[in-house]
Amino acid sequence: MHTRPIWAEISRSRLVANFEHLQGIAAANGAQVLAVVKADAYGHGATLCAPWLVQAGASWLGVTSVEEGVAVRQVCRNARILVMCGIWPGEEDALIDHNLVPTVWTARHVELLAAAARRRKLSAQSLPMHVELDTGMSRQGVGCAPQELEEFLALLRKCICEAPALDVEGVFTHFASPEMLDSPQNFDQAARFAAALETISAAGFRPAFIHAGNSSTLLGQQMLAPLAALARKYQARFLVRPGLALYGYALPFVGGAASAAHLLPNLQPVLCWKTRIAALRHVPAGTAVGYGATFIASQEMRLALLPVGYADGFNRRLSNCGSVQLRGQRAAILGRVSMDLTVIDVSNIPQATVGDEVILLGHAADGKLSDAEDSAVTAPVTAYDHAAWAETIPYEILCAISIRVARVGVE
Ligand SMILES: *Cc1c(COP(=O)(O)O)cnc(C)c1O
């Protein structure tokens, strides 16, 4: 039940427009999009967003876990669903029952799947897996040092021999610095990926899909054609995996001949986070606001109370520094953001009344998207603003919007 007025409107048309924009760039470079809906679609609600993306033409979706994959499967019967962050003992049956595709990179993953395939007497090649290669992030993936890779391939061969249901359907990697257009790391990683694919091919594996890259890779474009050519060399399809850009945001590009910023206006923020004014009061000069009395009114002021706090994912670092939008104007946050409450300054918005809709983040569905820079007083509040105030990245802002906030689909 969601009756407390704090909700996030998720726009179908904006999500689809972003997807189509990204799919267009991908197609022009010989790639297809794997739409990343992990972390509950970056806080947008995976069960809302995934079906919209599938209807718009996404054939592949990426989720964090088996648990998320099962939830997405309920609403997307036919999509391919890649579980991007590995599998855990006890998840094999759910993975198989819901036709999810596991990412594997350790012996333990492959052995778990082989045992499940044997136990369930699965038919040959009916359990596809995608192998992740660590080409330079020291995070997930099989290391690309020759010995480590050879050992993993030997293990794969042995497990496939014992459990022919297993199939290496995909091989992929992830880039560390794709928004840094001149970073040699991108080219180093791509070179390691190419060398590893050569080894994998020489070992007799024929993955149908090769994938690499995220939103920045796709928007920056420069890596796409070489990666697509690499996939073609092995008669595989090339996928690129945007997440953040689907939801209308992107990291700024660094370096490169020209800033790729001209690509960004084509993205439309999908989420608009709202609440309503709970109460209003006039206070005289000298009044303290909130925990620790970190704000003291220097003059008479009119305050509005919002029923939102850090338990909703409204970052406490916005205390005394962030703002919200109300009746088309910005209103500053006064004092500390509490767990469930936040106070704003409506001294300059005399029409403000109890029950007024307040935009915490995003662009109203009926608002223009392009007037963001018109005026600091009226500009929509973006996830970039929140990220700057909270000293983090838009990803974390969006993912942090808590489960207490209802996600409501709108056109
Ligand atoms: C999260 C993730 C992506 C998507 O990244 P964005 O920067 O949101 O586009 C792609 N691939 C992998 C492996 C990821 O973990």
Side-chain angles (χ1 to χ4, degrees), residues 19 22 32-37 42 213-216 218 240-247:
F19 173 78
L22 297 171
Q32 271 180 290
V33 166
L34 180 154
V36 177
V37 295
Y42 293 45
N214 68 347
S215 298
S216 298
L218 192 46
V240 58
R241 306 178 304 263
L244 187 69
L246 289 170
Y247 309 103

Side-chain angles (χ1 to χ4, degrees), residues 333-383:
I333 294 168
L334 303 180
R336 290 218 177 115
V337 172
S338 307
M339 185 183 290
D340 298 327
L341 297 168
T342 296
V343 174
I344 59 169
D345 177 9
V346 293
S347 304
N348 296 321
I349 312 176
Q351 324 87 298
T353 87
V354 169
D356 270 5
E357 197 170 278
V358 174
I359 299 181
L360 301 170
L361 188 167
H363 304 61
D366 51 0
K368 278 193 292 161
L369 284 162
S370 54
D371 62 359
E373 261 57 70
D374 283 359
S375 152
V377 179
T378 58
V381 184
T382 65

